[in-house]
Each structure stands twice: as C-alpha cells, then as structure tokens.
Amino acid sequence: MQQGLSENPATVPDLLRDPTLFREAAFTGGRWLLPAGAEHIEVRNPSSGRLLGRIPVLGDSDVDNAISAAREAFSSWRSSMAESRAELLLAWYRLIIQHKEDLAKLITLEQGKPLAESIGEIEYGAGFVRWFAEEARRAYGETIPTHLPGRNLSTVYEPCGVAVLITPWNFPHAMLVRKAAAAIAAGCSVIALQSEETPFSALALAELADRAGFPAGLINVLTGHAKPIVARLCDEPTVRVVSFTGSTAVGRIILQQASETVKRVCMELGGHAPFIGFPDVDMDTLVDAAIAAKFQTSGQDCLAANRIYIHHHIYDEFVKEFTRRTEALKVGDGFDDSVEIGPLQHEGQVRKAIDHVQDAVAKGARLMTGGTRHGAGELFYTPTVLADVTPEMKIYTEETFGPVAALCSFTTEQEVLSAANQSEYGLAAYVYSRDVETCLRMSSNLEYGMVGVNSIKLTGPPIPFGGVKQSGMGREGARYGLREFSNLKYICMNNGSTSGS
Ligand code: NAD
C-alpha cells in the first residue's frame, strides 16, 4: 500500500505532488469562482467515507455568467486557426501527462478504483486530447461536382457554438476530456458539469487548461446540483450542443429539455453488454476475457458484460473456473497495489447489486459465490457469480453497474443471437469463437454499436465510440467525434460563367 493516501488523515493537497491541482471552486470565465454564502456539497472518498473536500452550489446567475463567458470566448475561438487549436490542445495534453500521477490519485480518492486503473484512465483520456489536436487540422469539407450550370458547390465544417458537456462519476477524467477535446478542436467553447460525487478530476483539468493558456471562457467547469443547472443550460438558446454521458433514464430527460430549443445532442447512455463464448475457445482465454469484461471499475462500466452466455458443452466447467477466479479477486482500497476491486460509488449502487442478486436467487439462479456486502468498508460488495440466469430476472435486463456476474447457457447460435439482441440497450457486445464464419455472422447480426470479436479491449481515440437503440446516439472519438460539435455548411457560388440567377 502506498503511504499516506486513503487512510491517512492528511488533506488531499498534502497527498499531491502539485497541491494546486486540488480545487474546491468552480471555474468560469478564466477565474475560480466561490460565490459568497453559497451552499456547499461535501465530497467523500467512497473507500473510507472520509471527507475529501467541498464544492460550491452555483446559482442561476453563476450559470448565466458562465454562459456569457462561453459565448464571448466562442466569438473569437470560432475563427481561430486550426494550428492554434492544435497547439493549445497539445499544451493541455503535455500537462495532463506530466501530472498523471496526481490526476490518477484524484480519481482513486473520489471514485475508488484501483490506482493502476486510474493511471490507465488518464492515459486513455489524454489520448483523445492528442487525437483531436491532430484532427483539428483535418476537418476538411469537400467540393461537389455541380448539378447547376456556372456554380461552384462546396461544404465546410463550422463550429456549432457553446457546447454543454455533462459527465458521470465512473470515469470522471476520461468522459470529460473525450468530449472537451473534440469540442475545442471543432472551434466550440465548453461548459462542463461533472457529477457532484466526483468533481475534483474535472476541476484539476480546468486548472491545467488554464496553465496551458486556454483563453478565458473557452472551458468552464460548473459545480452544484445537476438538475437545475442542466435545466437552465438547456433553456438557453445560445447553447447549441448538449453532449451527455450517463444513464438512459437521465438521458431521456435531457433529450426532452434540449428539444425545446432544438439543440444538437450526443447521448452516450447505459449499456447491457452480452458476452458470448463458443465452445471452440480455450477455457483460460474465455475465463480471462469474461473476468476482464465484467469486473473493471468494480463492474461500474457502461461496457461491462451484464449477461455472460456460454455454450452448454462447456458451461459447467466455465461456471466452476469463473467462480474460482472471481473468488480470487482482491477487494479493498484502490491505493493498495494488489487490489483489483474497489468500492462502489454510493449506497444506491450497493443496494442495486443486493437487489439484483436477491431477485435472481428468488427466481431460481444459483449463487456460486459472493452475494454479500464486503468487510472492506460500507460501500464494498463481494464479487458475485450467479449461474443459470434467465430473462425473468432483473439482472438480465437492467444495468447492474456492480461486481455481479450473470451466467447463462445457450445451445445454438441463433438462440444466443436472438437472446443477446433482446435488450433495449445496444452499446457493446463481445463474441469469442475460433470459427471465422461464426465471428462474421455474429458481428454482423448483433444489434450493438460496438462489437469486440475475440477482444475485450476495443476503445481508444481512433474508434467511433457509441451505441444504438436506447444506448444513445452520436459518436465520440475517431473523425466522427469532431462532427458532433460541427455544422456542415453548404455553399453554392455563382462563378459568373453563365447568365441568369
Ligand atoms: P446519471 O445519469 O445519474 O448521471 C450522469 C450525469 O448527469 C451526472 O453528471 C449527473 O450529475 C447528471 N444528472 C443526474 N440527474 C440529472 C438530471 N435530472 N438532469 C440533468 N443532469 C442530471 O449516471 P451516473 O450514475 O453518474 O453514471 C452511470 C451511467 O452512465 C450508467 O448508465 C452508464 O452506463 C452510463 N455511462 C455511459 C457511458 C457511455 O459512453 N455510453 C460511459 C460511462 C457511463
């Protein structure tokens, strides 16, 4: 265990190499904002329950000031050279990498995930900043072979305007930079709102953006209660984009609010990934992959395998081996180097895990291991395996977002395909088979935005991340990420070579 972290009474700044990365204020118009007399929200370490710090609850006028600052910044940033956008993003990228240990500590302190996973999250997020720095230079429009005599036809991408970014607590760094880097590269200004449970990663990013030389108002990070703040931002006609990552339930509310002023929306919502294992795959490979697909961030991952379908020929052996491996997972504080499973974010997540397990067992699932709170602390839940899960059980259709694995057996390819597609979600799916034709058929027919074939790792800056059905709309990363913040303008120009209008 590293010294002086979660269990140490030292304050958060004492734990950081650069204490000024820890900010307990909002950042608007290029300044730290701590409104006099504002109510505060306490932020706690989910592992120990200790108070980490407080953030101010911004009021309507603070939100309005942030909108004005973002609008003002947009008025000049929109016409900045692609080169300047790239340079600014690269400066931000270098600072993020330079401070990655401190940034990772902030994630583990406020979110609880193991420090190695937090480092991975910083590197993953920073990769998007570099990617979009490069993409800023390549936001090409096109010329169109004309259908009108004497006209030159072309398209250009233009920035949409002020973009609001709303992000969840499970990846408090990466979800924000993935959006912010794309928006800024496209020429938009940004108002970000990170979950009130994990605000410090976002505020540290604002500090680094300031040091990188971001013009005042280009990035604003609000603090406070999401509901009134988002409602106000959605009411504002000059906010032109709302990019949201979070649950499908909240996504629906924000979609409605954004519809009043017909904003551009990008929705990265919940997932319920099927993991499908065919019998021609070696057992160790299958179990390793399923463990990785289920338990990262204690299962609090939109890509987490929520239904694990294993062919009936190998099902019993898989259940045994998967259970043995689950029992070996080390649970505890994220600063302990040997820990693989940290706490859940809040009591609601623990109760959901308990509810899903009780419901499944009552309906006939076999509890192979776990099924209880874990002694490491109030928000810890023991990694759990349920076998023989069936469609009537809540866990089969609802996103668990906890360390509970639901195993099901299947007989035919058609049967498992149809079961996997019977979900309102459509974010990611995983298929394991050695047969190339099976892989081709499955990847074509799975109704998901992303399919990992013999691969759990699938995300990163060059790929279009996103879902179908009620997992959302729009894509992050790749060249498509920039388009979420860009308007395509068509220009028809009379070149004077023919008469007439
Ligand atoms: P959530 O929907 O409760 O909250 C997400 C964000 O919305 C937070 O910033 C929160 O403060 C804000 N919010 C909450 N209620 C709001 C309201 N009524 N009006 C406006 N804003 C509101 O989600 P969560 O519990 O923080 O995160 C978990 C969810 O996020 C899961 O469903 C997970 O699958 C999803 N997620 C999706 C992706 C993806 O890329 N598709 C990535 C990570 C997480």
Side-chain angles (χ1 to χ4, degrees):
M1 172 103 115
Q2 290 196 17
Q3 284 302 305
L5 293 168
S6 284
E7 290 171 4
N8 188 306
T11 61
V12 176
D14 292 336
L15 304 174
L16 304 180
R17 224 176 280 163
D18 183 342
T20 55
L21 288 176
F22 180 67
R23 294 286 184 170
E24 294 178 278
F27 186 72
T28 62
R31 291 170 195 275
W32 293 100
L33 172 67
L34 202 53
E39 185 198 327
H40 282 79
I41 295 171
E42 292 190 339
V43 182
R44 293 186 176 275
N45 179 334
S47 175
S48 62
R50 276 191 46 221
L51 181 68
L52 295 173
R54 296 174 178 81
I55 48 163
V57 174
L58 300 191
D60 289 350
S61 60
D62 303 314
V63 176
D64 292 346
N65 289 340
I67 295 170
S68 301
R71 213 167 32 218
E72 177 69 22
F74 175 65
S75 66
S76 45
W77 189 247
R78 65 183 305 171
S79 47
S80 58
M81 296 293 101
E83 190 64 24
S84 320
R85 296 179 196 173
E87 288 304 326
L88 197 70
L89 285 168
L90 282 175
W92 198 27
Y93 165 78
R94 285 188 206 101
L95 285 166
I96 291 170
I97 293 298
Q98 184 187 332
H99 293 282
K100 80 174 168 188
E101 277 83 16
D102 277 351
L103 296 173
K105 280 182 196 167
L106 286 175
I107 295 181
T108 297
L109 284 166
E110 64 184 1
Q111 202 287 319
K113 68 181 70 174
L115 192 61
E117 282 188 29
S118 298
I119 295 268
E121 180 177 340
I122 301 296
E123 289 170 347
Y124 172 77
F128 286 89
V129 183
R130 191 169 60 179
W131 171 268
F132 284 113
E134 291 157 356
E135 281 300 294
R137 294 190 178 97
R138 303 189 228 297
Y140 304 121
E142 58 189 4
T143 55
I144 301 172
T146 189
H147 64 302
L148 300 170
R151 308 296 194 280
N152 287 38
L153 313 182
S154 60
T155 62
V156 287
Y157 283 104
E158 294 186 337
C160 292
V162 175
V164 164
L165 317 179
I166 307 157
T167 47
W169 46 256
N170 64 337
F171 290 92
H173 171 91
M175 296 301 96
L176 176 53
V177 285
R178 195 164 77 177
K179 294 179 190 300
I184 288 164
C188 294
S189 58
V190 157
I191 301 175
L193 180 68
Q194 169 61 33
S195 164
E196 63 189 57
E197 291 167 276
T198 54
F200 296 123
S201 297
L203 294 167
L205 279 167
E207 167 66 23
L208 293 179
D210 195 30
R211 289 186 205 175
F214 278 43
L218 185 59
I219 187 163
N220 304 274
V221 179
L222 306 185
T223 56
H225 299 303
K227 208 171 161 181
I229 291 178
V230 172
R232 195 155 188 100
L233 291 167
C234 283
D235 277 351
E236 169 57 45
T238 58
V239 166
R240 291 310 325 147
V241 185
V242 176
S243 178
F244 171 75
T245 297
S247 62
T248 297
V250 173
R252 285 188 196 107
I253 297 170
I254 295 177
L255 270 173
Q256 277 184 355
Q257 290 175 337
S259 71
E260 288 296 318
T261 48
V262 195
K263 298 189 195 313
R264 174 79 69 90
V265 289
C266 175
M267 293 275 141
E268 299 291 349
L269 306 179
H272 202 283
F275 175 104
I276 301 166
F278 285 89
D280 54 355
V281 182
D282 142 79
M283 184 57 67
D284 284 346
T285 305
L286 208 52
V287 174
D288 281 354
I291 291 277
K294 176 68 244 180
F295 290 110
Q296 277 227 347
T297 319
S298 308
Q300 300 171 117
D301 187 338
C302 55
L303 300 180
N306 227 94
R307 287 161 288 154
I308 299 177
Y309 297 100
I310 302 296
H311 192 271
H312 73 109
H313 281 163
I314 57 167
Y315 181 71
D316 290 343
E317 189 192 349
F318 180 90
V319 171
K320 202 167 135 217
E321 190 53 20
F322 186 87
T323 302
R324 189 186 69 74
R325 290 283 304 280
T326 302
E327 283 170 343
L329 290 169
K330 173 121 188 256
V331 180
D333 186 272
F335 285 107
D336 179 334
D337 293 338
S338 62
V339 157
E340 294 156 295
I341 306 283
L344 299 186
Q345 186 71 42
H346 51 237
E347 178 60 21
Q349 292 302 135
V350 182
R351 283 209 221 107
K352 194 167 190 193
I354 293 170
D355 179 43
H356 278 190
V357 172
Q358 284 177 349
D359 171 78
V361 170
K363 291 172 181 164
R366 280 185 291 147
L367 179 63
M368 306 306 298
T369 187
T372 55
R373 287 179 186 261
H374 191 278
E378 275 182 33
L379 297 180
F380 288 84
Y381 193 76
T382 309
T384 297
V385 179
L386 295 166
D388 307 346
V389 167
T390 53
E392 306 72 53
M393 301 170 189
K394 287 184 189 174
I395 196 167
Y396 196 92
T397 48
E398 294 176 20
E399 195 179 18
T400 310
F401 239 51
V404 183
L407 312 186
C408 327
S409 81
F410 72 91
T411 306
T412 66
E413 181 183 316
Q414 201 45 49
E415 172 203 344
V416 75
L417 185 62
S418 143
N421 283 341
Q422 268 165 30
S423 171
E424 70 183 37
Y425 294 107
L427 189 58
Y430 309 99
V431 183
Y432 274 71
S433 169
R434 289 284 150 229
D435 179 59
V436 71
E437 291 179 351
T438 304
C439 293
L440 282 169
R441 282 192 303 273
M442 292 298 289
S443 56
S444 298
N445 294 322
L446 280 163
E447 293 163 3
Y448 287 80
M450 298 176 284
V451 181
V453 180
N454 296 317
S455 180
I456 290 308
K457 288 196 173 132
L458 48 75
T459 78
I463 67 102
F465 188 104
V468 297
K469 299 195 275 185
Q470 294 187 39
S471 286
M473 61 191 79
R475 292 293 179 268
E476 294 191 337
R479 62 178 180 279
Y480 309 102
L482 213 56
R483 295 186 187 161
E484 301 296 328
F485 298 96
S486 310
N487 290 324
L488 184 64
K489 180 183 272 181
Y490 158 61
I491 300 167
C492 171
M493 192 179 291
N494 188 332
N495 61 26
S497 63
T498 55
S499 57
S501 53

